[in-house]
Amino acid sequence: MQVSAAASVKRIPVSFLVASFWLGVMSIAGIVQAQPTPSSPESELKRAQFTELEKQLGRASRKKVAALEDDVAALKDYPLYPYLLRQQIDQRMDMAHREDIESFLLNYHNQPFTYGLRGRWLRYLATHGEKKAFLANYRDGMGATITCQYLQYQLEDAGQPEYWLEKVEPIWLAGRSQPDECDPVFKKWQQAGMMTGDMVLGRIEKAALSGNPKLIPYLKRKLPAKEQYLADLWQRIRTSSSLVLKKSQFPLKNKETEGKILAYGLEKLAWRDAGDAIKAWYLWQPADVFTQQQQLDVTRAIALSLAIDDKPEADEWLKRADVSGAADDVKRWHMSYLLRHERWQDVLDLIAAAPEYVQQDEAYRYWQARSLEAMGLPEQAGIRYRELAQERNYYGFMASARVNEKPSLKHIATPRSDENMQMIAERPAAKRAQEFLALGRLIDARREWRYLVNSLDTSQVKDAALLASEWGWFDQAIISFTQSGFLDDVEKRFPMAYAEQFDDVGRAYDIQPAFAMAIARRESSFMVDAVSPAGARGLMQLMPGTAGYVAEKRVSTDELFDAGQNVQFGVQYLRYLMDKMGDNPVLVSASYNAGWRRVMEWLPAGGNVETDIWIETIPYKETRSYVKAVMAYRYIYEHQLGQSSGLFEQLAKSAIPPATGLSSPGGRAGGTYAPK
């Protein structure tokens, strides 16, 4: 978890940020998160006209589209006018309007309202046999269907087809079924002798690893008879990893491929039954079937599986796995295992032997200081704690508590350029984003904003972030600040979003607003229409079933996308978890992410475990990072709300009890979520 960084201006791709939240989004009519500009009767009239025209064009005949041309032209100065032009073009997709279509694509190159248009135009041209126009409009990266059609056209006239056939390989090597348009190209590729056995095996491997086993029987038929058993092995190992224990099933006639299958099966088996995986490991060692990377991968899986389950053999296997070239999480779990058993000298030795870049990581610096403290060397520990305490992150805050110092926030306001902000606000994409916000169409607004930010110079991204912040567009302000590299503006990166709602509901259910706001900040960055891959929705990312359970009624999607109601249900759920987990904020945070039943399984079996050690040994990486982030965010929001905070002092002095040691504070029965 990273809360801080030097105020550099390194640009971070939007794709990274969106992947780090793992959030999809839905557009819900009526959601208005931000009002960037005051409404006027004129602007409201134009929005109403645009909305009505958009509806009419969406269902209009060609004759009706022509009849609406004057109405569309009347909105020429309205920011969303290009979207109406796009609708006109969608309804006139034919060769008679080729010039209009291609001019639109040229003039508005890659702007959001053109998305999908080139592909639609190319599909039309292919369907109607307009080869020359198709080739003129094709661009790379259009997907398998269009690319295969393009290659098919090129191969029809190619004097030297080898050039075009070489482009088939990346299309072939996909772990999923490809469209029918690719079949003629694959056939010519095969006839040219380029569909080798290795190519077929490569695609079988991708199909197996990407979870598309139905493709394997089709590919098996393309292998020579003597190699078809390899397809069967891939198919079987997916459903039965214990196959690696049966030496007779692997004749090693194709050592390289069988080694891949065995390594894959061993990794799967290690997570299910590390003991059986160890047996299989020793079974295959004399055969020398594994590459160096495969050995690293398999020993990692065995070591981590043993460490997570705290098995006695974990010590030996962690030493085997923690070698040069190993994944970063091997050393982290090696340290966590030693911490769990309070082997402080071994922790120090492990860190001392690590590469310099590892030693400088805040986690290793904290645990180095912690080990020195545990070994009775407070002065050496204090030096390291105080140095780390200058950083704004979970470990910095923990270090502060260890030396009884106030955690450092180091807030630095982002330098402001009114000239740049005005320039950005006047850009067409910014105006379109404003209009979509006013219309409550948040997906469209974000799409325009991403296009805008990606078109700016790196130095101007922070001005866009400030602009979004002034608009009250919390999620895009947070994301844009991260892109800009200006991470020290604590007030803007941790906005007081929906603070009144969090305060009102928090009082009713005895939940500190700072805690609930920290959860919402981590869950969605205050994106009111956020949807996770699992289906969690809204500010506090609630599953519909969870919201319905605490509300004791069926909860609709619209309710979950309403900020006020989402806060209500989310805080109720926090109260429910607090009652389950003895008002322990660490256990509640972990439960919010991973589920309280799973967290109960992670509680100590015997005596208490110190809180920081328990957090460091949470089995799920996502939950470990989540808990650290929420604790740090909660402290920041306590500061933002002007509250005194003893949170990290509490974490530094407390311990996580066994399940039998949990109690419901105040005599509340578990599962009570009525207001106090």
Side-chain angles (χ1 to χ4, degrees):
M1 183 279 301
Q2 181 67 41
V3 183
S4 69
S8 64
V9 290
K10 183 177 179 182
R11 184 103 174 252
I12 301 173
V14 172
S15 58
F16 168 79
L17 297 161
V18 174
S20 72
F21 286 110
W22 45 276
L23 295 173
V25 288
M26 294 178 63
S27 180
I28 304 300
I31 295 178
V32 180
Q33 181 187 14
Q35 290 289 345
T37 54
S39 293
S40 66
E42 182 183 1
S43 62
E44 290 297 335
L45 176 61
K46 286 187 175 181
R47 286 168 193 150
Q49 290 172 334
F50 168 79
T51 302
E52 180 58 30
L53 270 175
E54 192 179 42
K55 288 179 183 177
Q56 291 189 43
L57 287 168
R59 57 176 181 262
S61 64
R62 291 197 173 200
K63 184 176 180 181
K64 179 66 173 175
V65 170
L68 292 171
E69 281 187 352
D70 290 343
D71 293 332
V72 171
L75 288 177
K76 188 173 183 179
D77 295 329
Y78 180 59
L80 300 183
Y81 170 71
Y83 283 87
L84 299 177
L85 293 183
R86 166 64 188 271
Q87 282 192 292
Q88 287 181 320
I89 286 173
D90 282 340
Q91 299 291 359
R92 295 167 167 173
M93 190 69 64
D94 55 35
M95 288 298 289
H97 293 89
R98 176 182 176 181
E99 184 178 349
D100 293 339
I101 295 167
E102 294 179 2
S103 294
F104 186 82
L105 287 168
L106 178 65
N107 294 334
Y108 295 113
H109 178 64
N110 279 346
Q111 296 194 49
F113 45 83
T114 69
Y115 293 170
L117 177 59
R118 187 177 297 277
R120 186 161 182 247
W121 177 227
L122 286 167
R123 285 189 290 273
Y124 170 87
L125 294 173
T127 301
H128 291 81
E130 298 289 349
K131 177 178 176 180
K132 187 175 180 180
F134 182 99
L135 293 174
N137 281 274
Y138 175 80
R139 301 290 184 273
D140 287 338
M142 299 297 297
T145 300
I146 291 173
T147 301
C148 283
Q149 180 64 65
Y150 172 72
L151 291 174
Q152 192 174 339
Y153 278 148
Q154 293 289 7
L155 286 166
E156 287 175 1
D157 303 323
Q160 294 182 321
E162 293 80 9
Y163 172 81
W164 299 107
L165 289 172
E166 286 174 358
K167 298 180 180 295
V168 176
E169 181 179 329
I171 303 173
W172 168 260
L173 287 175
R176 61 187 180 279
S177 295
Q178 294 290 37
D180 293 343
E181 287 81 357
C182 292
D183 289 345
V185 177
F186 289 156
K187 185 176 181 180
K188 291 182 180 180
W189 189 60
Q190 183 177 17
Q191 289 171 345
M194 301 175 82
M195 187 187 288
T196 63
D198 286 343
M199 285 291 177
V200 177
L201 286 171
R203 193 172 180 195
I204 289 173
E205 179 183 349
K206 284 186 176 289
L209 298 181
S210 59
N212 288 300
K214 292 181 180 179
L215 186 59
I216 295 176
Y218 158 76
L219 295 170
K220 174 184 173 180
R221 295 193 295 270
K222 296 185 178 295
L223 285 172
K226 64 180 181 179
E227 293 182 357
Q228 290 186 357
Y229 78 97
L230 295 168
D232 294 332
L233 285 175
W234 272 119
Q235 188 87 295
R236 294 169 64 194
I237 204 75
R238 287 193 71 261
T239 56
S240 179
S241 57
S242 59
L243 188 67
V244 297
L245 290 163
K246 299 177 180 179
K247 199 167 186 179
S248 61
Q249 300 299 308
F250 294 85
L252 299 187
K253 292 185 291 186
N254 190 319
K255 206 169 185 180
E256 181 181 351
T257 300
E258 290 181 60
K260 290 179 181 179
I261 298 169
L262 284 165
Y264 169 75
L266 265 167
E267 283 192 74
K268 282 192 69 176
L269 183 60
W271 293 110
R272 184 170 62 84
D273 189 328
D276 279 352
I278 292 171
K279 292 177 186 175
W281 172 259
Y282 286 122
L283 177 67
W284 290 106
Q285 277 302 291
D288 191 27
V289 294
F290 301 123
T291 65
Q292 183 178 1
Q293 186 59 52
Q294 288 165 354
Q295 292 183 56
L296 290 172
D297 293 341
V298 172
T299 54
R300 170 192 173 273
I302 293 173
L304 267 58
S305 178
L306 292 168
I308 289 169
D309 291 339
D310 199 23
K311 299 292 186 182
E313 306 96 316
D315 196 18
E316 174 194 348
W317 280 89
L318 284 164
K319 289 175 182 175
R320 286 191 185 194
D322 190 4
V323 295
S324 177
D328 290 342
D329 60 354
V330 173
K331 191 171 296 294
R332 184 63 68 95
W333 265 107
H334 195 174
M335 181 176 70
S336 296
Y337 179 80
L338 298 174
L339 291 172
R340 180 182 280 158
H341 295 276
E342 299 186 10
R343 290 165 53 179
W344 303 110
Q345 183 60 57
D346 288 339
V347 172
L348 289 173
D349 293 342
L350 180 75
I351 296 171
E356 180 65 22
Y357 78 92
V358 173
Q359 294 185 34
Q360 293 306 311
D361 180 87
E362 61 262 24
Y364 291 96
R365 289 158 59 204
Y366 173 79
W367 288 111
Q368 183 183 52
R370 185 82 157 74
S371 299
L372 290 167
E373 180 186 18
M375 293 180 67
L377 299 168
E379 291 185 6
Q380 294 183 41
I383 293 171
R384 289 162 175 79
Y385 279 142
R386 289 185 178 87
E387 181 181 317
L388 184 57
Q390 301 306 306
E391 300 181 15
R392 186 181 59 246
N393 55 49
Y394 164 81
Y395 291 105
F397 295 169
M398 286 296 296
S400 298
R402 288 279 167 185
V403 289
N404 297 314
E405 292 184 359
K406 186 177 180 180
S408 173
L409 291 185
K410 289 191 172 180
H411 165 69
I412 301 174
T414 302
R416 181 186 179 92
S417 169
D418 290 331
E419 181 181 355
N420 280 350
M421 290 175 65
Q422 182 62 31
M423 176 274 294
I424 293 168
E426 291 298 323
R427 288 206 175 187
K431 291 183 176 182
R432 293 193 295 265
Q434 285 181 316
E435 287 303 311
F436 279 130
L437 283 173
L439 291 168
R441 290 167 55 169
L442 303 186
I443 286 181
D444 292 321
R446 282 193 291 272
R447 190 178 291 122
E448 289 286 357
W449 188 260
R450 286 195 293 269
Y451 171 80
L452 169 70
V453 170
N454 284 335
S455 70
L456 296 174
D457 291 338
T458 301
S459 62
Q460 296 170 338
V461 176
K462 53 93 175 174
D463 299 299
L466 287 169
L467 186 64
S469 181
E470 290 195 355
W471 288 358
W473 200 2
F474 304 118
D475 55 291
Q476 293 309 299
I478 290 167
I479 291 171
S480 298
F481 273 116
T482 305
Q483 284 182 269
S484 75
F486 284 88
L487 302 182
D488 291 325
D489 196 328
V490 175
E491 293 178 2
K492 295 290 194 300
R493 290 185 59 228
F494 294 87
M496 301 299 289
Y498 310 102
E500 186 175 338
Q501 290 97 317
F502 281 110
D503 184 63
D504 289 345
V505 182
R507 289 176 187 275
Y509 291 95
D510 194 20
I511 297 294
Q512 288 192 26
F515 189 17
M517 292 176 77
I519 293 283
R521 171 63 168 79
R522 175 65 179 184
E523 288 285 348
S524 70
S525 289
F526 302 111
M527 187 182 291
V528 295
D529 63 336
V531 181
S532 80
R537 291 169 166 80
L539 284 179
M540 300 190 72
Q541 286 292 277
L542 292 162
M543 295 296 289
T546 301
Y549 180 73
V550 297
E552 297 182 328
K553 66 170 188 173
R554 181 181 291 276
V555 175
S556 69
T557 296
D558 286 350
E559 288 177 284
L560 287 175
F561 286 125
D562 177 84
Q565 293 190 73
N566 193 283
V567 169
Q568 172 77 26
F569 301 140
V571 171
Q572 274 187 277
Y573 185 49
L574 281 175
R575 177 71 268 156
Y576 170 78
L577 293 176
M578 292 287 258
D579 290 339
K580 286 280 185 188
M581 295 295 171
D583 268 359
N584 186 304
V586 169
L587 298 181
V588 169
S589 300
S591 298
Y592 202 97
N593 178 258
W596 69 266
R597 288 184 176 85
R598 186 168 285 117
V599 173
M600 293 291 282
E601 295 172 2
W602 298 341
L603 293 177
N608 295 347
V609 173
E610 291 182 78
T611 296
D612 56 355
I613 294 177
W614 187 86
I615 292 173
E616 205 68 41
T617 55
I618 291 173
Y620 291 179
K621 178 181 178 181
E622 179 192 324
T623 306
R624 283 198 307 278
S625 299
Y626 183 92
V627 171
K628 294 171 189 176
V630 169
M631 293 300 100
Y633 293 1
R634 174 174 168 175
Y635 175 80
I636 291 171
Y637 272 111
E638 286 172 344
H639 175 82
Q640 295 275 70
L641 290 164
Q643 300 171 351
S644 60
S645 175
L647 174 63
F648 279 88
E649 288 83 350
Q650 176 190 353
L651 298 182
K653 296 175 182 177
S654 65
I656 301 297
T660 54
L662 290 178
S663 60
S664 296
R668 289 189 297 271
T672 299
Y673 26 82
K676 288 186 68 177

